[in-house]
Amino acid sequence: MDAEVVLTMRDIDKTFPGVKALSGVDFTLRKGEIHALMGENGAGKSTLIKVLTGVYELETGEIRMEGKDKPIINHSPEDAQKNGISTVYQEVNLCPNLTVGENLYLGREPRKGGFIDWKAVRKYSKGLLEGLEIEADPDQLLEDCSIAVQQMIAIARAVDQQCQVLILDEPTSSLDDEEVEKLFTLMRKLRDKGVGIIFVTHFLEQVYAVCDRITVLRNGQLVGEYKASELPRVQLVAKMMGKNFDDLADIKSGHEGKVESDAPAVIKAEGIGHHGTIHPFDLEIHKGEVIGLTGLLGSGRSELVRSIYGADKADSGKLFINGKEAKINKPLDAMMLGMGYLPEDRKKEGIIDDLSVRENIIIAMQAKKGMFHLMSRKEMEEAADKFIDLLDIKCASRETPIKSLSGGNQQKVIIARWLLTNPEYLILDEPTRGIDIGTKTEIQKLVLDLADQGKAVTFISSEIEEMLRTCSRMAVLRDGYKVGELSGDQLNQKDIMNTIAGGENVDRGGAMKDEAEVSAAVDETEKATESLAAETNGEEEK
């Protein structure tokens, strides 16, 4: 192993039933570097980390660590810890009811005469905290510390256990800018001490602020490893997002796809924000319009619509519905004002898996009517049958448990739930994720049909091609900020990726500064994707 390399992973595969999560992935981490692991949802980042740390079994390939004569296999996170690999997750995995010192040495307390030496715990804790410049008292309760300090204490604990590799999995997602900078200061200090750091994040600005190298994964495969200083942001975005080549027709044709300039604003947001997730934004959504929200995963797409709908109560700004100011403190308020919301995670927040298709369809309408105006069994059955037929929901009967349906049909049931309430404004967050192409096309056509009927729709998808097929206007988000809006001739892949990338290649409004560079980045990505598709097709034919 190279003297500068602390970790290598070679030809890593991981398969789940029906899904190839990782395919021949390589990863190299050097001493004293901060290495960003980047990729969109489903790219394989978390799977690779879990294989490395023993959460998932290593199927093929090998993992080597500096100082080990043979490849290592971690059967558990404890094995990984023994091999010098520590992980700090977004959710701090410590004990808030214990002191800082107790957390730092929990399970490995210094002892004297068979008893815990609390004086030594305080002494060692103070030295460790001061050495890493962490502002905390060993005797204070962890729960009294800020989230940022708790993250740093978790890192200090890992470092004190002589870790060679430190994995930071989305550590900044709940921190404000000042707390992020403090964390970065600690990361740089550890880098200077020779620790290799794997930094998993979705924030582009943070990657370029603190990282030395970047490895990009897409669809479970390695796209490449790059020096951060040599990879322009727009090229990073292009490599992460790729180009979605499929055989779907241009379903936008045949639909109006235009909104009159004087169409009334169904939703108007002024300075709406939610601390820690989305910075204050302005947005108008008009009758008969499909407005898309685009940006990398973690950019704030879902957080923006959740703040409008009341799933996360906005703590700043004003919201107007049909010209009148509205107070939305919870989702029921939004529902009563004519909104519907299909959440990103249909299994966790969408379906109620032990209930039938009928019960899942009528539940929002019943909530609007209230507990003193119960729907009759006949009304429920007629409503369920109507939408099962209208949306071609594949199920044995209306009484079939929704958990037995395919993902695409579960998604249709949730859409039916909201259509039954006849909303003026419908939010669809990743409505086609994880479903087959045929059902995906049906949902996209349905979105355009709803717009033709005068509904206002917000559509969120990780697939740019899908957004271009369905949206009449797109708002672009980056790192929790709304950074631009695109419409008309601007609705193309190059302009979208420019606006997402920001930084040195675009101004804050999304205007291109170096079209040749962007063009080259997109062309390079398209060629790579075409090559990958050809290889995949060849394997399938075999």
Side-chain angles (χ1 to χ4, degrees):
M1 179 180 284
D2 189 307
E4 295 302 313
V5 173
V6 66
L7 167 73
T8 60
M9 303 178 74
R10 292 289 176 263
D11 202 27
I12 305 297
D13 283 6
K14 184 62 185 177
T15 304
F16 299 105
V19 178
K20 187 78 169 179
L22 295 173
S23 180
V25 173
D26 294 344
F27 181 80
T28 301
L29 179 67
R30 295 156 188 82
K31 294 180 185 177
E33 77 168 0
I34 302 175
H35 196 134
L37 183 59
M38 302 289 288
E40 279 285 77
N41 184 56
K45 306 185 302 296
S46 295
T47 304
L48 186 67
I49 293 301
K50 288 177 179 178
V51 168
L52 173 60
T53 56
V55 177
Y56 292 155
E57 180 184 359
L58 176 67
E59 292 178 358
T60 63
E62 69 174 27
I63 302 172
R64 287 187 175 272
M65 287 283 295
E66 181 200 24
K68 305 288 183 182
D69 295 332
K70 299 179 180 179
I72 65 169
I73 298 179
N74 295 318
H75 297 288
S76 66
E78 186 179 4
D79 283 351
Q81 185 78 62
K82 291 176 181 176
N83 282 317
I85 302 170
S86 293
T87 307
V88 176
Y89 295 99
Q90 174 183 347
E91 300 295 332
V92 179
N93 190 24
L94 295 176
C95 301
N97 59 320
L98 299 182
T99 67
V100 169
E102 288 171 329
N103 272 284
L104 286 171
Y105 289 95
L106 185 64
R108 56 193 189 99
E109 299 90 345
R111 293 183 176 271
K112 188 175 183 179
F115 296 95
I116 296 175
D117 186 348
W118 293 111
K119 185 176 180 180
V121 168
R122 293 186 189 94
K123 178 183 175 181
Y124 297 157
S125 298
K126 186 177 181 181
L128 179 59
L129 295 169
E130 288 178 351
L132 296 176
E133 298 181 11
I134 299 173
E135 297 177 3
D137 188 307
D139 292 324
Q140 73 181 113
L141 289 176
L142 186 71
E143 63 186 1
D144 293 335
C145 300
S146 69
I147 295 297
V149 171
Q150 292 184 34
Q151 291 276 14
M152 293 179 191
I153 290 167
I155 292 171
R157 175 181 166 86
V159 171
D160 195 53
Q161 296 181 73
Q162 305 302 312
C163 74
Q164 297 170 273
V165 174
L166 177 64
I167 303 168
L168 301 179
D169 191 356
E170 296 287 356
T172 64
S173 58
S174 57
L175 307 184
D176 62 29
D177 292 343
E178 185 177 341
E179 291 172 329
V180 167
E181 189 50 48
K182 289 181 179 179
L183 178 62
F184 284 177
T185 299
L186 176 57
M187 290 169 63
R188 294 184 185 106
K189 184 180 288 288
L190 295 175
R191 175 184 62 189
D192 294 343
K193 291 177 180 290
V195 177
I197 300 174
I198 302 174
F199 183 40
V200 182
T201 183
H202 295 298
F203 295 109
L204 291 184
E205 300 290 342
Q206 295 179 8
V207 168
Y208 285 95
V210 76
C211 293
D212 304 296
R213 291 179 188 269
I214 302 169
T215 287
V216 180
L217 303 182
R218 187 171 71 245
N219 298 328
Q221 297 188 319
L222 175 67
V223 176
E225 178 191 298
Y226 314 92
K227 288 185 177 180
S229 60
E230 297 175 0
L231 183 65
R233 300 181 192 199
V234 69
Q235 289 193 21
L236 173 58
V237 172
K239 293 176 188 300
M240 289 174 63
M241 302 184 81
K243 182 172 175 62
N244 179 33
F245 289 98
D246 58 39
D247 298 325
L248 293 178
D250 182 10
I251 63 172
K252 210 168 185 178
S253 61
H255 293 265
E256 294 178 9
K258 295 181 180 179
V259 180
E260 297 297 328
S261 58
D262 60 350
V266 177
I267 301 291
K268 183 178 181 181
E270 293 182 352
I272 294 289
H274 182 266
H275 181 70
T277 60
I278 186 77
H279 297 276
F281 65 90
D282 296 339
L283 188 68
E284 285 193 15
I285 305 165
H286 298 268
K287 183 177 180 179
E289 176 181 38
V290 181
I291 180 169
L293 299 184
T294 189
L296 299 178
L297 194 70
S299 61
R301 299 170 305 183
S302 298
E303 290 80 1
L304 188 152
V305 292
R306 288 176 66 88
S307 66
I308 290 176
Y309 188 71
D312 296 325
K313 184 181 176 182
D315 46 30
S316 66
K318 296 180 179 180
L319 185 70
F320 298 87
I321 299 178
N322 292 320
K324 295 182 180 180
E325 186 173 353
K327 298 293 184 183
I328 297 179
N329 296 314
K330 55 186 180 297
L332 183 59
D333 296 338
M335 191 190 311
M336 300 303 289
L337 290 167
M339 296 189 196
Y341 172 49
L342 186 150
E344 179 181 16
D345 189 338
R346 66 171 171 260
K347 291 190 180 298
K348 182 178 179 181
E349 299 183 318
I351 67 170
I352 303 175
D353 59 3
D354 286 329
L355 298 185
S356 67
V357 170
R358 169 183 58 83
E359 291 165 321
N360 271 276
I361 288 176
I362 62 90
I363 194 168
M365 176 58 83
Q366 183 60 74
K368 286 189 72 172
K369 286 178 174 289
M371 63 183 296
F372 297 111
H373 299 87
L374 298 179
M375 297 176 68
S376 68
R377 181 66 180 231
K378 182 180 180 181
E379 287 177 314
M380 294 182 190
E381 292 177 350
E382 287 178 350
D385 289 344
K386 173 185 175 181
F387 285 100
I388 288 172
D389 182 59
L390 179 66
L391 300 182
D392 192 25
I393 299 171
K394 301 293 192 301
C395 57
S397 77
R398 69 173 88 94
E399 302 306 322
T400 301
I402 193 172
K403 63 185 176 184
S404 67
L405 271 58
S406 68
N409 283 297
Q410 289 178 357
Q411 206 74 303
K412 287 182 179 181
V413 169
I414 304 173
I415 293 174
R417 173 190 301 165
W418 294 114
L419 294 184
L420 179 59
T421 67
N422 192 29
E424 285 188 88
Y425 173 48
L426 185 61
I427 300 167
L428 301 175
D429 192 351
E430 295 285 5
T432 66
R433 176 183 291 167
I435 62 180
D436 63 85
I437 289 178
T439 305
K440 182 179 293 189
T441 305
E442 291 175 25
I443 290 177
Q444 292 169 11
K445 288 179 178 177
L446 174 62
V447 169
L448 293 172
D449 286 339
L450 292 172
D452 288 348
Q453 295 167 23
K455 308 288 187 188
V457 182
T458 293
F459 188 86
I460 301 174
S461 172
S462 298
E463 300 180 25
I464 287 184
E465 291 293 315
E466 179 175 55
M467 300 281 276
L468 293 174
R469 284 193 293 270
T470 54
C471 299
S472 49
R473 183 162 57 97
M474 293 173 67
V476 183
L477 286 93
R478 182 175 68 246
D479 297 349
Y481 290 92
K482 180 189 155 200
V483 295
E485 286 192 15
L486 305 174
S487 60
D489 294 341
Q490 296 173 315
L491 289 178
N492 62 76
Q493 193 178 39
K494 289 187 176 73
D495 279 13
I496 292 168
M497 288 198 295
N498 263 281
T499 311
I500 292 172
E504 69 273 22
N505 296 307
V506 294
D507 60 27
R508 201 158 181 82
M512 280 188 283
K513 291 185 177 178
D514 190 345
E515 185 166 350
E517 182 181 323
V518 177
S519 228
V522 175
D523 290 344
E524 177 189 345
T525 304
E526 291 180 3
K527 288 177 183 177
T529 309
E530 286 173 335
S531 174
L532 179 59
E535 292 175 10
T536 303
N537 290 335
E539 289 298 320
E540 289 176 351
E541 288 173 4
K542 291 178 184 178

